[in-house]
Structure formats: C-alpha cells, structure tokens
Amino acid sequence: MKPIFGIGRIRNVALLITMCLVFVLPAWATAPRFAPEWFQKDVESLPVVVAHEYPPYRSVSIGGKGPHARIVSAVFAVAGEDVDLVVQPARSLMIYALSQEETAAVVGEEADFEGVSRKQLVFVPFHIKEARYFRYRPNHGGGSNWDGKLENMRGTVLGLEGPTDVRVWEKAGISVALGALPALLERLVAGEIDILGADAERTEWLIRKRMPGKEKQFVAMEIPAWDSFSYVVFNTNLGTGESLAARFVDALKRLLRDGGYDLILQNAGSRQALSDMQRKKLIQRLDSLKIPDN
C-alpha cells in the first residue's frame, strides 16, 4: 500500500506551515485588533451606538437590552434618528469604538471614562440613579439609618466602587475600601467592611443573582446616599456629532416633561422611577449643557 503523502510532499507541507507561522505569529504578538465591522455597518445602515454590559441597566441577556438601551433608542427615535444600539461584553470595546471614531455615540457611567481624553466629547446625562448605604444584618443587627450625616458613620469601614474621590468620607472619619461591586458584597458578608455604598438597583440585582435566599439579610439605609448620572457621549470630531447631541438633548427634555420617559422605565421593568427632585435635577443639567459648534 502506497503512503498517502510522499516524502517530497510532506516536506512541501512542512515548508508551507513554517511560512504561515513566520507571517502570522508577529501579527498576534501586537496589541489586540478589533475589526471595524464589529461596531459599525455599511454607510447606508443605521448609526451605531455602543454600550457595554452593565446589568441590570444594559445587557444582551435582558429584554430590550435593558432600561438604558430602551431610553436611548426611544430618545433617538423622538429626535428623528433610528439607531442600532450594540452592547459589547467589555468596557474596553466601548472605549475602543469611541477612540477610533467608529460609532455615533457611546453609553456609560462617569467612571467608565476615567483616563479618557474629554476633548471633543459631549457628555449628555440621560438617566439618574439612586445610591444607598447597605449593611449586612447578621454582622451588625440592622442599623438602617444614618440620618443624612456622614459623621454618624465615623469609625466604620465603607466599601465603594472605584475609581472614586473618597475625600468627603475620609474627612468624616470613615475608612474607605475601593473595589468592584461583586467583590465588595462578598466583603460585606465576610465582615471585612461595615457598610457598602453603591447604586441601589444594581446592588439589589446582584444580591438576587449571586446570593439568592439572603436578600432579607441586607438592609438598605432609609435615606438615599447620593445620585449619579449615566451618559450618552458624543464625539464632535464626527461631522454630525454636535447636531446629533443637540437633537438628543431636545428630545430627552420633551420625554422627561410629557411623561414618556416614565413610561419607558416602567415598560423596561426598572424598579426605580424618577422622583420629582431627580427629574428636576436631570432637566437642569440638560439646560446647562453647552454643545460646541465646530
């Protein structure tokens, strides 16, 4: 029986494999490369808005990709611009799309843009979220009030998501431990931190997902801790960046004032409706926003 490959053919195949390795391996040795088609379609398709996984607000595993995706898509629609909102698995992919100017806009939190040059960027707040202080009942027996005074938490260890400016807490005599929210929840249960300060809806969602059956052991203090904004970020280097941002702001204010915004949150299953104070704060921020003209 003759061999399938002769010696000469084997040598040729080996040479071909070697040549492939010579040319392919250097390409893999460089920084990660992302194909533009991951973020945008051809010129005649919808403008792409890029977000990253941040449940329960933004996720491909949530109906309609989450409340943030529904709000942003609805605002763009009112502004007369249908968009394709893409939720990427990692923040780095969202930042890459922004830096390469391959997206009409991106969606994220304040901390997402730490270290990112803000020149030519317009940050439009579109959602305001309530944060609370949490205790773990088995470790502290409740303690559900702080009465709005940080001094009442003096001497405790407080867990906060980083990066965060911690000076206001340290000035009140509070030690601060920074970390990712899932890890901070574990540390709260273990007694390594006394209090957790974080976005209330996201914290409660993580507790339900990661610690089922322990929901009642976590106590949210009655008085809210602070509010934080989520943003749609436009790049004015793009030809239509300023116009798109201005139309988005106008459409968002219309939805906030006519009740359409509340209906979107309700249909998206959000557990927190905007309070009158939060609505006023969000509209004030939008009214004070300055969009540059190129």
Side-chain angles (χ1 to χ4, degrees):
M1 184 179 218
K2 292 184 178 181
I4 297 176
F5 296 113
I7 296 299
R9 184 170 297 181
I10 291 175
R11 287 174 178 169
N12 289 339
V13 171
L15 178 61
L16 179 61
I17 292 173
T18 301
M19 291 176 66
C20 289
L21 290 175
V22 167
F23 288 104
V24 172
L25 285 179
W28 281 102
T30 59
R33 301 183 180 189
F34 307 101
E37 58 266 25
W38 289 8
F39 303 105
Q40 67 182 132
K41 301 179 181 178
D42 56 49
V43 176
E44 297 180 358
S45 66
L46 299 177
V48 174
V49 175
V50 178
H52 68 92
E53 285 282 333
Y54 191 70
Y57 297 112
R58 306 182 296 273
S59 178
V60 295
S61 64
I62 298 174
K65 299 179 184 178
H68 281 181
R70 294 196 184 194
I71 293 170
V72 171
S73 297
V75 174
F76 272 116
V78 171
E81 190 77 61
D82 289 330
V83 298
D84 179 19
L85 195 145
V86 177
V87 180
Q88 293 288 354
R91 168 191 174 275
S92 59
L93 295 176
M94 180 266 287
I95 295 298
Y96 175 84
L98 177 66
S99 66
Q100 298 300 305
E101 299 181 357
E102 294 177 346
T103 177
V106 298
V107 180
E109 312 307 305
E110 182 76 30
D112 290 334
F113 304 95
E114 184 77 17
V116 175
S117 173
R118 301 199 174 202
K119 187 178 180 181
Q120 304 298 332
L121 299 182
V122 176
F123 285 72
V124 178
F126 73 94
H127 187 218
I128 188 167
K129 308 181 301 298
E130 180 182 275
R132 298 257 178 171
Y133 291 117
F134 291 83
R135 281 190 181 273
Y136 188 60
R137 195 188 303 273
N139 295 342
H140 298 284
S144 59
N145 288 302
W146 65 292
D147 296 327
K149 298 177 181 179
L150 289 178
E151 291 77 8
N152 291 339
M153 295 193 291
R154 184 183 301 276
T156 62
V157 179
L158 172 67
L160 296 172
E161 284 192 277
T164 300
D165 186 345
V166 302
R167 287 174 294 182
V168 64
W169 290 280
E170 290 180 341
K171 185 177 179 180
I174 301 168
S175 299
V176 177
L178 298 178
L181 185 53
L184 289 172
L185 277 172
E186 296 286 352
R187 294 186 67 183
L188 184 64
V189 171
E192 296 174 6
I193 60 176
D194 303 306
I195 302 170
L196 169 65
D199 171 81
E201 188 164 352
R202 181 163 161 76
T203 301
E204 290 166 357
W205 181 86
L206 278 170
I207 292 170
R208 292 194 302 273
K209 288 291 183 180
R210 299 194 174 210
M211 301 177 179
K214 291 186 176 181
E215 294 91 339
K216 294 183 179 179
Q217 300 299 330
F218 292 87
V219 181
M221 298 190 186
E222 294 177 7
I223 299 176
W226 67 84
D227 286 327
S228 62
F229 293 99
S230 296
Y231 297 88
V232 176
V233 181
F234 297 85
N235 190 339
T236 59
N237 271 342
L238 300 178
T240 59
E242 308 92 345
S243 171
L244 197 59
R247 285 187 286 132
F248 184 90
V249 169
D250 289 341
L252 178 55
K253 288 193 287 189
R254 283 164 55 190
L255 285 172
L256 283 165
R257 287 174 173 139
D258 68 12
Y261 188 99
D262 302 279
L263 188 59
I264 296 167
L265 279 180
Q266 181 180 341
N267 290 339
S270 176
R271 288 173 168 253
Q272 290 185 12
L274 284 186
S275 67
D276 291 339
M277 183 62 71
Q278 288 175 324
R279 186 187 316 279
K280 182 178 179 180
K281 186 184 296 186
L282 186 51
I283 291 174
Q284 285 176 340
R285 283 288 297 269
L286 293 171
D287 285 340
S288 64
L289 193 64
K290 291 180 173 58
I291 300 175
D293 294 323
N294 277 354

